[in-house]
């Protein structure tokens, strides 16, 4: 268990935990040093009433020193492609392990702990027993001085070894996850389908991004790292943190797009958390949290009609989407399991109505499943479908289908990686990149070769107009796709041919969209034009944002061939290079060439 | 309360107001409504409070999400940086992982 130096002391009659500053902790430790003999080996019981300096000493003894951390654990910013081949300690596989008391010793350590990662890790079950709250602290008061692995009893470690073992287990687990992701993307990139460019782009991030870098994105918090993204590029379930990260990206896009429905608001999980926290209708006599109060004010100020948000069905451990229509006074859901007869969670509907009727006028009705949504076909993908339901409703993103399951994950992975890279420090802060290590050259060459093969194949069928920017439609993703005529200077390139744009401009009849399912079967995919395309030109990177669908994404069904003409500024004329990237909202006409009419059964492209 | 006591109380409040780093009381409330009380200086990182809470409830701090005013608390946040007031509440949200557990 990761425990900071955290301490508490009993305050008067009400139990209150005192959080001390670093300086105060030092003073308390000095105090303990003077009184040590009164507490160690004297039969003192570890409890809430013990003096704070004793508690702090115990907690401090179990905390990994900073200097040891850098020796034992791989640096968080090691690129994923290197991290997966990092040598980590083996985990003992035995299901039977000695009594936890066998891990304790009253003799001083024989090791500083810097070699802890060189020997086998004890089983997690044993570590969890050792970490039972208060147990090790009691052993410290009883006089233990070191920890040992009974399988290697000749070596005694400092007391913080238990916490280090726990953290090493999590590192091993994260490495296993990243290995799975690497393999998953490799398989995806191997198949010559429309998903291949997305997979290659996602692979590029494995060589650029640290395996465990702290996130500073909207929706992230303490202890969230890039390892969270590994859940995306594999066939696994989706965490609430990822749901929030994706929702906030949609919120960003909604806020920056003037063409979409201004009456609609996307909300993060905080909303349902605060709604479900109510125990009775009366809890909403006043706004029950600051967040709900601010939300109410916003709704009134912006005259918001729709609230769209993710919901967690706790019973089924299942994500779905929900919409509140404040004008029609309805609550409705988009559940990817509705076709299996699954009903939306009753409690959520009831508690939403408590809030709505408590804080807004009129009676509200709960309608079961009326939002457009994809249908999930396995046990893990509901989170992706729920986010897509929200993106479809709010931004007109194409609806999720089984055939784009892997593609959707790869694109979201790419989007979040890009967002993370943008949010972190500029390149001068020396982010380790694939170019800085000769160890990864073989992997780099491999990726380049794959991209080159793709380039060659496509260039035989398409010849780009010299100097013209390439506008490649997003295949499915609700977020803008950045397309470069030259590599983005803010992103260290692996190969000049590693972006979708570099595949070459799409020509009429020259590319057929092919998606493959997990079994490798391929099928044609019906696509619609993405909600926005961002074109980034030249080395200095000015940006043009072209709202290809003219907004009103949720009215997309009406579009048909109307989509052949869209608003775009000055077609291929790019602004002159400048040192500052800038964005232009485009509003003059260009023609989108539909490759193969009718649009109902073929994807649309623009050139 | 006598006039003398009132004056003493006011004087104490003024001292507190002057001391920008005076500790404040913060309540951490779980999804089940369980409450744990903390006292923390306004300049001390809330990550310490998060670690203390995790230790108190016997959970991995990485599995707990702390919210203040609807936003996740980050590694560098302090009561001062979040403009927290005495007796404010931090909400705890246990991480949810969804697929379909039939």
């Amino acid at each position: 268990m990761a425990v900071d130096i955290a301490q508490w002391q009993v305050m008067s009659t009400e139990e209150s935990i005192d959080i001390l500053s670093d300086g105060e902790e030092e003073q308390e430790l000095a105090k303990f040093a003077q009184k040590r003999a009164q507490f160690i080996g004297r039969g003192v019981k570890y409890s809430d009433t013990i003096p704070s300096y004793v508690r702090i000493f115990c907690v401090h003894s179990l905390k990994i020193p900073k200097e040891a951390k850098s020796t034992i654990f791989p640096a968080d910013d090691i690129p994923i492609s290197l991290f997966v081949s990092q040598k980590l300690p083996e985990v003992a596989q035995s299901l039977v392990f000695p009594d936890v008391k066998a891990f304790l010793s009253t003799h001083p350590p024989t090791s500083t702990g810097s070699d802890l990662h060189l020997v086998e890790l004890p089983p997690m079950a044993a570590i969890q027993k050792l970490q039972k709250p208060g147990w090790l602290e009691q052993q410290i008061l009883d006089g233990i001085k070191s920890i040992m692995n009974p399988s290697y009893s000749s070596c005694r470690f400092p007391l913080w070894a238990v916490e280090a073992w726990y953290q090493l287990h999590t590192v091993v687990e994260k490495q296993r996850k990243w290995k799975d992701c690497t393999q998953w993307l490799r398989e995806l990139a191997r198949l010559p389908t429309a998903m291949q460019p997305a997979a290659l782009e996602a692979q590029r991030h494995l060589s650029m991004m640290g395996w465990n870098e702290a996130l500073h994105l909207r929706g992230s918090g303490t202890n969230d790292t890039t390892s969270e993204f590994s859940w995306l590029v594999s066939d696994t379930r989706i965490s609430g943190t990822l749901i929030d990260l994706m929702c906030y990206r949609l919120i960003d896009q909604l806020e920056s797009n003037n063409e979409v429905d201004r009456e609609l608001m996307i909300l993060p999980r905080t909303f349902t958390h605060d709604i479900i926290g109510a125990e009775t209708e009366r809890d909403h006599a006043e706004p029950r949290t600051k967040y709900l109060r601010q939300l109410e004010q916003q709704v009134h100020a912006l005259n918001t009609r729709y609230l769209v948000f993710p919901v967690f069905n706790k019973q089924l451990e299942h994500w779905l989407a929900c919409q509140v229509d404040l004008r029609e006074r309805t609550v409705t859901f988009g559940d990817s399991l509705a076709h299996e007869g699954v009903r939306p969670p009753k409690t959520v509907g009831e508690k939403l109505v408590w809030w709505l009727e408590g804080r807004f006028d009129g009676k509200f009705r709960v309608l079961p499943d009326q939002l457009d949504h994809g249908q999930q076909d396995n046990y893990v993908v509901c989170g992706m479908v729920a986010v897509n339901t929200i993106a479809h409703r709010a931004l007109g993103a194409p609806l999720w289908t089984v055939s784009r399951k892997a593609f959707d994950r790869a694109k979201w992975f790419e989007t979040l990686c890009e967002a993370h890279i943008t949010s972190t420090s500029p390149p001068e802060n020396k982010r380790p990149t694939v170019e800085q290590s000769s160890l990864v050259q073989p992997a780099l060459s491999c990726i380049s070769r794959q991209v080159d093969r793709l380039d060659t194949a496509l260039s035989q069928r398409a010849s780009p107009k010299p100097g013209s920017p390439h506008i490649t439609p997003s295949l499915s993703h609700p977020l803008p796709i950045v397309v470069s005529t030259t590599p983005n200077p803010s992103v260290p390139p692996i190969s000049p041919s590693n972006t979708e744009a570099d595949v070459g401009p799409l020509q009429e009849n020259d590319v057929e969209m092919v998606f493959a399912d997990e079994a490798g079967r391929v099928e044609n995919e019906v696509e619609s034009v993405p909600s926005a395309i961002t074109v980034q030109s030249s080395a200095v990177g000015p940006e043009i944002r072209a709202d290809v669908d003219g907004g009103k994404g949720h009215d997309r069904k009406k579009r048909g061939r109307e989509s052949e003409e869209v608003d775009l500024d000055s077609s291929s004329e790019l602004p002159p290079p400048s040192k500052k990237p800038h964005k232009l909202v485009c509003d003059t006409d260009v023609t989108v060439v539909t490759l193969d009419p009718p649009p109902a059964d073929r994807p649309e492209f623009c050139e | 309360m006598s006039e003398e006591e009132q004056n003493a109380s006011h004087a104490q409040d003024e001292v507190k107001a002057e001391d920008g780093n005076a500790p404040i009381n913060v309540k951490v409330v779980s999804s089940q409504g369980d409450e744990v009380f903390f006292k923390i200086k306004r300049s001390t990182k809330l990550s310490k409070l998060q670690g203390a809470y995790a230790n108190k409830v016997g959970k991995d701090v990485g599995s707990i999400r702390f919210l203040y005013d609807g936003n996740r608390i980050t590694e560098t946040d302090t009561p001062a940086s979040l403009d927290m007031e005495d007796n404010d509440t931090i909400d705890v949200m246990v991480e949810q992982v969804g697929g379909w557990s039939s």
Side-chain angles (χ1 to χ4, degrees), chain A residues 168-195:
Chain A
L168 277 169
H169 265 278
T170 65
V171 174
V172 169
E173 177 59 21
K174 286 179 179 179
Q175 189 189 53
R176 187 194 61 76
K177 197 82 184 65
W178 278 125
K179 279 181 180 173
D180 288 350
C181 296
T182 306
Q183 178 64 24
W184 190 88
L185 281 173
R186 192 179 296 136
E187 286 297 315
L188 204 61
R190 191 174 55 80
L191 295 170
T193 68
M195 297 180 201

Side-chain angles (χ1 to χ4, degrees), chain A residues 74-104:
Chain A
D76 293 337
D77 57 359
I78 293 176
I80 297 155
S81 54
L82 288 181
F83 172 66
V84 291
S85 54
Q86 192 99 10
K87 176 120 179 67
L88 293 177
E90 297 287 324
V91 178
Q93 298 299 320
S94 60
L95 297 174
V96 181
F97 51 87
D99 184 83
V100 284
K101 290 224 167 185
F103 286 81
L104 312 177

Side-chain angles (χ1 to χ4, degrees), chain A residues 89-123:
Chain A
E90 297 287 324
V91 178
Q93 298 299 320
S94 60
L95 297 174
V96 181
F97 51 87
D99 184 83
V100 284
K101 290 224 167 185
F103 286 81
L104 312 177
S105 171
T106 52
H107 298 290
T110 57
S111 159
T112 60
S114 59
D115 51 351
L116 197 74
H117 58 301
L118 302 177
V119 292
E120 190 182 61
L121 293 177

Side-chain angles (χ1 to χ4, degrees), chain A residues 6 15 17-20 22 24-25 166 222 224 237-238 240-241 269-270 290 316-317 319 379 382, chain B residues 37-39 41 48 50 52 56 59-60 65 68-70 72-75 92 95-96 98-101:
Chain A
E15 202 177 300
I17 299 169
D18 232 9
I19 306 296
L20 303 184
D22 289 345
E24 288 168 329
E25 283 172 9
Y166 178 86
T222 314
D224 288 339
R237 307 201 298 167
I238 296 294
T241 299
R269 284 186 307 148
T270 302
K290 280 186 186 177
L316 295 181
E317 296 178 358
W319 294 107
Y379 292 91
C382 63
Chain B
F37 295 88
F38 294 90
K39 200 164 211 179
K41 283 187 176 173
K48 286 196 166 196
Q50 295 174 49
K56 174 81 176 170
K59 298 227 181 221
D60 181 352
R65 306 288 180 257
Y68 177 67
D69 268 6
R72 291 281 306 280
I73 294 175
T74 66
E75 188 67 38
V92 164
E95 183 62 310
Q96 299 157 322
W100 177 24
S101 175

Side-chain angles (χ1 to χ4, degrees), chain A residues 357-375:
Chain A
E357 294 184 353
R359 306 305 309 161
F360 299 87
D361 293 331
K363 298 292 281 181
F364 281 77
R365 291 175 301 138
V366 179
L367 310 171
D369 185 65
Q370 300 203 344
L371 287 178
D372 287 345
H373 59 79
Q375 294 184 352

Side-chain angles (χ1 to χ4, degrees), chain A residues 452-483:
Chain A
D452 288 343
R453 278 203 297 275
L454 178 69
D455 276 351
T456 308
L458 287 171
S459 64
Q460 286 168 358
R461 295 187 290 176
S463 51
K465 291 174 187 173
S468 65
H470 306 159
I471 304 174
T472 305
S474 160
L475 298 177
S476 72
H477 206 259
L479 297 176
I481 303 299
V482 174
V483 183

